[in-house]
Amino acid sequence: MRVRKLTLAAMALAAGLSLTACQNDDGTDQSAAPPAASAASSSNGGSGSAGSDQEGGTDSAGKTPDGTGDADGSGGTGGSGGSAEDGQAAKCRTDELEITAMDATVGGDTEGTVAVDLKNGGGRDCTLAGYAGVDLKTNAGTLSAERTGEEASPVVLKDGENVTFGITYPVNDTGGSGVRITGLVVTPPNETKSVTLDWPGGASLPASDEPGSPVRVGPMGSAGQGG
């Protein structure tokens, strides 16, 4: 009987030790299911998954949440277009103009005058603003005209209309051969393409050692006013 009691006591002690090993230090059972809140937290992709939907963020198109503009602060507006400002016609191109030159010297004048006419043949309105470029071809090289300094207001030419400007130069009355003029080169304002014309004025300029050019060009509409 004593042996049986010792055996039962040993079995009871072993069962108690086994039960203790299945519990945490705080007495909870690790075999129990996790709380429902913990399972829900792991299923939404983590704490950073909703960052772009938070106030002040941006969506995949780069817009702010209220749709007012781009994320870089540009407001989403496009650039302005159009080649003419304030409704003004675009500039006249060299190829659209019919350019001619004629002698406009009045008897008794101390200077000679050549009038250069620019006619709009481009089929649209266009604008000439400023001075044309004027160069004389001579037997001594190219001589560029200097501007008179008069105000150069923009001129809008309708198709078929024309405007004239003046070139003044000293008349060669020295009796010598002077500097012989062989051609006239005209470049419309704000253009780089030129046209070469016959020179309709006096055949030569007086030879001079003075610096600068004795030939002067006026603005659009200045024919006969070049001095």
Side-chain angles (χ1 to χ4, degrees), residues 9 21 28 45 49 72 81 96 112 121 126 130 145 154 193 212-213:
T28 59
S49 63
D72 61 3
E96 297 175 316
C126 65
K193 186 175 182 179
S213 173

Side-chain angles (χ1 to χ4, degrees), residues 99 101 116 132-138 142-145 165 167 181-188 192-200 217:
I99 304 176
V116 179
V134 171
D135 298 291
L136 301 187
K137 290 184 174 182
T138 76
T142 300
L143 180 64
S144 298
F165 67 88
I167 303 169
I181 303 173
T182 59
L184 169 64
V185 181
V186 176
T187 308
T192 57
K193 186 175 182 179
S194 304
V195 296
T196 300
L197 308 171
D198 292 334
W199 173 252
V217 56

Side-chain angles (χ1 to χ4, degrees), residues 88 91-92 127-132 147 152-156 188-190 220:
Q88 182 173 302
K91 71 176 183 179
C92 298
T127 301
L128 290 169
Y131 285 74
R147 298 177 179 182
S153 300
V155 176
V156 178
N190 303 308
M220 296 296 141

Side-chain angles (χ1 to χ4, degrees), residues 29-104:
D29 188 352
Q30 286 185 332
S31 65
S38 176
S41 175
S42 63
S43 67
N44 64 7
S47 62
S49 63
S52 62
D53 294 329
Q54 295 175 355
E55 183 177 358
T58 59
D59 62 16
S60 60
K63 300 291 183 180
T64 53
D66 61 2
T68 56
D70 293 339
D72 61 3
S74 63
T77 58
S80 58
S83 59
E85 298 180 359
D86 301 327
Q88 182 173 302
K91 71 176 183 179
C92 298
R93 311 295 303 202
T94 302
D95 291 338
E96 297 175 316
L97 298 170
E98 300 173 16
I99 304 176
T100 56
M102 65 198 76
D103 185 12

